[in-house]
Amino acid sequence: MEAKRETQEDIRMSQLPRIAIIELGSQYTLLIERTLREQGFRSVVLEPRRAKAWLEKNSPQAVILSGGGASVYDKDVPQPPLEVLDPSCGHALLGICYGMQWIAHTLGGRVEPISDNREYGDGSITVITEDWLFDGMPPHQKVWMSHGDSVTQVPEGFETLAFTETGAIAAIRKGLVWGLQFHPEVTHTTYGAEMLIRFLKAAGCEPDWEPSALVDDIRNKTLDACGIRRAVFGFSGGVDSTTLAAILAPALKQKLLAITIDGGHLRKNELTEIEKHAHAAGVLWKIVDARAEFVAALAGTVDAEEKRRRFKKVYQDIFAREARVFGAEIVLQGTLAPDRIESGATGGALIKSHHNVGLDMGEIEQLHPIDHLFKYEIRALGRELGLPESVWNRQPFPGPGLFLRIIGTPITIEKLDLVRWADACVREILVRHGVYDSLSQVVVAYVDAHTVGVKGDARAYGGAIVVRAIETVDFMTARGVWLPQAIVYDISRTLVAHPSVVRVWFDPTDKPPATTEME
Ligand code: XMP
């Protein structure tokens, strides 16, 4: 039994990307990831502190160190794990801008500030040494640069491949380690995408992003695993579960039942939307009204992980029960790679235990057919399958829903109603201002930090609503969004009308250090 589990885990890990991008504080990191995907390569973006565990577990073929605003001489700067420099690990390494300076500095080269000649924006390089990375490209090329430090002496054994127009070292190499002072991921670098692909080829990477092949693969593997057995499926109506339902429904047909649990944690009108999505996916669908069970289990809880534990317990018990009713021996979940990563299931730290990872379902087998994919990939599959835009463009909403949006105070039905109302108001305002679709996710939470206000002519003493909007591609990192003043004004004015709300706070903190949800 143990051996079988390990084999399944091995298969899952082998489906994860073989290219790691270590994020060292650059605003262009996601552009690297997107450029690679556009060329057919999947990659995973890692924070430095999580990179070590990931590298050990996944042995990637290629590692890319992003740029970043830091100087190698500053204190507390982003540090990739030293293992990235270990040739025995067998991966190729590319350092971009700060990433290149970090390589040079760590291996004994010299990095110095270039205060007189800070290069920012459009520039050019001259390639002086023939190299695989620049093969077939003109020696003079346009590049995009943004740096205050520069490598002035390459480490032992490294060769200088190119200089910038101001004479700074623009590209270096030793074996399978390259450094580029400019940003190949930015379109202003004329041959940048080509250089990235040549680097991946040197690393031995093969394209692995082909949507229709992925759909077939997920469908066939799940069909094989299920055989003649029936399966139930956790259906939240979001992009992950709707897309997975649309992939599996044509194969499993009446043997597959999608189940939506209403635990009192859903948003306004959410059940109607979920029903529409179940219909679009063509899957057999059932709602289980478990509001009383969930509210009883979670009432009075304050601690974030305790809420998740209790939610998970009730969730898995209901699923096991529904599986028996349907005669199912399998539970399918639309878990994605980040859910497993953040739950510590891939070797990194536990950030949050997601409710659908590591369920204890006794003899019922659990399958997670898309847990090697990232959010942007599942969106692309949803689009490929012809699902409506309301599915593939839908903002995520966490499994435990509004339970995670009541902060620092025991959960009650009244607070759930308050945060449900506030969430609906905020979404309506963002839609009216035409910005909702441009945001990756909006989080609206109630915080029971009682503060004094004045309403009418009387003293008011109540809680606050926090509004948080983020932009991200993969939800592993995110930029906090500063909403325009007119929207901030509209939201604040609307929400303080509620008798329990005295203030509205806006939270544009990036992830890291914050996470998307407040819990
Ligand atoms: P964080 O807060 O970790 O969230 O930055 C990343 C994405 O995951 C969603 N999220 C969850 N989804 N169960 C889920 O199904 C959970 O327990 C959970 N916690 C966070 C979050 O809304 C965001 O989209």
Side-chain angles (χ1 to χ4, degrees), residues 308 339 342 351-356 375 396-400 404-405 441 443 475 511 514-519:
R308 285 161 186 274
D339 307 346
E342 300 219 327
I351 308 296
K352 300 175 178 190
S353 29
H354 282 229
H355 72 287
N356 47 4
K375 198 63 142 191
F397 184 61
L404 299 181
R405 306 267 175 97
Q441 189 167 358
V443 174
F475 290 88
K511 170 184 179 176
T515 54
T516 311
E517 297 290 337
M518 259 146 266
E519 296 199 322

Side-chain angles (χ1 to χ4, degrees), residues 312-322 324 361:
K312 186 169 174 175
K313 171 86 180 68
V314 182
Y315 179 88
Q316 72 191 13
D317 290 350
I318 293 176
F319 250 94
R321 198 168 70 207
E322 290 300 324
R324 279 193 295 276
M361 307 279 289

Side-chain angles (χ1 to χ4, degrees), residues 1-12:
M1 192 63 194
E2 193 51 37
K4 183 166 172 248
R5 265 211 295 276
E6 268 180 29
T7 314
Q8 282 179 355
E9 180 64 9
D10 287 348
I11 293 170
R12 216 184 341 241

Side-chain angles (χ1 to χ4, degrees), residues 405-515:
R405 306 267 175 97
I406 295 173
I407 314 295
T409 180
I411 290 171
T412 61
I413 290 181
E414 293 71 32
K415 286 175 210 159
L416 283 170
D417 287 342
L418 164 58
V419 80
R420 185 178 292 113
W421 168 81
D423 172 80
C425 293
V426 171
R427 283 192 292 151
E428 188 274 317
I429 292 168
L430 292 172
V431 169
R432 182 153 37 82
H433 283 266
V435 297
Y436 186 74
D437 284 340
S438 66
L439 300 167
S440 304
Q441 189 167 358
V442 178
V443 174
V444 178
Y446 174 70
V447 180
D448 195 39
H450 266 57
T451 59
V452 177
V454 49
K455 287 190 177 183
D457 283 330
R459 177 186 194 267
Y461 189 53
I465 296 287
V466 180
V467 178
R468 168 163 174 69
I470 57 145
E471 273 171 6
T472 175
V473 169
D474 60 5
F475 290 88
M476 297 300 297
T477 56
R479 298 267 175 241
V481 174
W482 295 77
L483 293 168
Q485 204 174 354
I487 299 180
V488 166
Y489 176 74
D490 222 352
I491 290 176
S492 311
R493 216 185 36 158
T494 306
L495 297 184
V496 289
H498 194 286
S500 302
V501 180
V502 167
R503 280 159 213 274
V504 181
W505 290 331
F506 291 83
D507 173 10
T509 321
D510 290 342
K511 170 184 179 176
T515 54

